[in-house]
């Protein structure tokens, strides 16, 4: 049996926290109407894939994005807390532009400078984010050898984690992951590969 695992990753669809410029993980923020349309389009885009499982962050917007995919694949959405967005501690839910700037600066430090020690306030370090995300992807790979699955997550945690797992470095910086646009990553039994990172040079 092949150990290769194909994972269609995507950021959740447009959500209320994004349109309201709210920072943090914001787990209860729902999709907007446009976000639901984007989720439906993602399901149609992947209609030709034999998806054996659909995983999502435990955040509402990720689960809502995952549902059309899961329905089409005739599987249940499996929510994994390790796939949630980057936590920013006491600043969670802030609409202060200064917090949003700091969040962007910390993410840039992680991705471009490979400095995973940085954090927003008392939030997560890059080391913490990559550890939990890496654990989630490794668990998925071990459980689905030879299969194709889908994973729905968040822009910052997916970017820093896959940048590290696929050793993409700063190539993932500069073009944020678009909402609900599937891109493929693959596990060959020893290494993760990201051949189709959106916006990479």
């Amino acid at each position: 049996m092949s150990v290769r695992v194909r994972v269609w990753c995507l950021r959740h669809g447009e959500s209320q926290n994004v349109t309201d410029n709210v920072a943090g993980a914001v787990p209860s923020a729902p999709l907007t109407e446009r976000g639901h349309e984007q989720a439906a389009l993602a399901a149609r885009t992947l209609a030709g894939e034999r998806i054996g499982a659909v995983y999502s962050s435990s955040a509402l917007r990720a689960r809502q994005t995952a549902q059309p995919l899961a329905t089409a694949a005739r599987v249940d959405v499996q929510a994994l807390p390790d796939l949630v967005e980057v936590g920013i501690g006491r600043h969670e839910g802030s609409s202060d532009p200064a917090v949003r700037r700091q969040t962007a600066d910390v993410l840039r430090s992680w991705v471009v400078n490979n400095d995973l020690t940085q954090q927003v306030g008392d939030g997560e370090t890059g080391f913490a984010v990559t550890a939990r995300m890496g654990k989630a992807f490794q668990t998925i790979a071990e459980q689905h050898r030879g299969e194709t699955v889908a994973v729905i997550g968040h822009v910052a945690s997916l970017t820093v984690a896959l940048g590290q797992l696929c050793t993409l470095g700063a190539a993932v910086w500069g073009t944020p992951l678009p909402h609900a646009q599937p891109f493929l990553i693959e596990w060959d039994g020893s290494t993760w590969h990201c051949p189709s990172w959106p916006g990479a040079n």
Side-chain angles (χ1 to χ4, degrees):
M1 177 177 166
S2 172
V3 298
R4 184 173 293 276
V5 183
R6 301 170 74 247
V7 181
W8 285 102
C9 291
L10 55 155
R11 179 189 183 186
H12 59 80
E14 182 186 81
S15 53
Q16 197 70 50
N17 61 307
V18 174
T19 56
D20 289 348
N21 292 317
V22 175
V26 201
S28 61
L31 291 180
T32 62
E33 182 177 347
R34 183 183 183 193
H36 282 289
E37 293 170 354
Q38 291 168 335
L41 177 58
R44 292 195 296 273
T45 299
L46 295 177
E49 296 286 329
R50 296 185 62 181
I51 294 175
V54 175
Y55 291 89
S56 84
S57 151
S58 53
L60 176 60
R61 58 193 181 279
R63 289 184 284 114
Q64 288 178 327
T65 303
Q67 192 56 60
L69 277 166
T71 298
R74 298 183 179 180
V75 298
D76 293 327
V77 176
Q78 301 184 56
L80 296 181
D82 279 339
L83 293 173
V84 296
E85 184 56 296
V86 174
I88 59 173
R90 65 179 180 272
H91 296 302
E92 175 67 26
S94 174
S95 57
D96 183 347
V99 172
R100 292 181 62 81
R101 283 195 299 273
Q102 185 185 6
T103 301
D105 288 345
V106 167
L107 181 61
R108 189 181 192 283
S109 293
W110 293 349
V111 174
V112 176
N113 302 326
N114 199 32
D115 180 2
L116 301 180
T117 65
Q118 299 297 311
Q119 62 197 114
V120 179
D122 58 343
E124 291 182 289
T125 64
F127 286 116
V129 176
T130 55
R132 63 171 170 80
M133 292 286 287
K135 174 185 171 186
F137 276 97
Q138 202 58 43
T139 297
I140 291 168
E142 290 171 359
Q143 293 181 356
H144 296 283
R145 294 179 180 179
E147 296 183 60
T148 297
V149 302
V151 171
I152 295 82
H154 304 266
V155 61
S157 54
L158 280 174
T159 298
V160 66
L162 295 180
Q164 291 284 323
L165 288 175
C166 300
T167 61
L168 294 173
V172 299
W173 186 255
T175 306
L177 288 174
H179 288 111
Q181 179 178 311
F183 62 98
L184 186 67
I185 72 168
E186 297 178 301
W187 170 252
D188 66 8
S190 61
T191 306
W192 286 102
H193 303 275
C194 303
S196 59
W197 185 268
N201 295 325

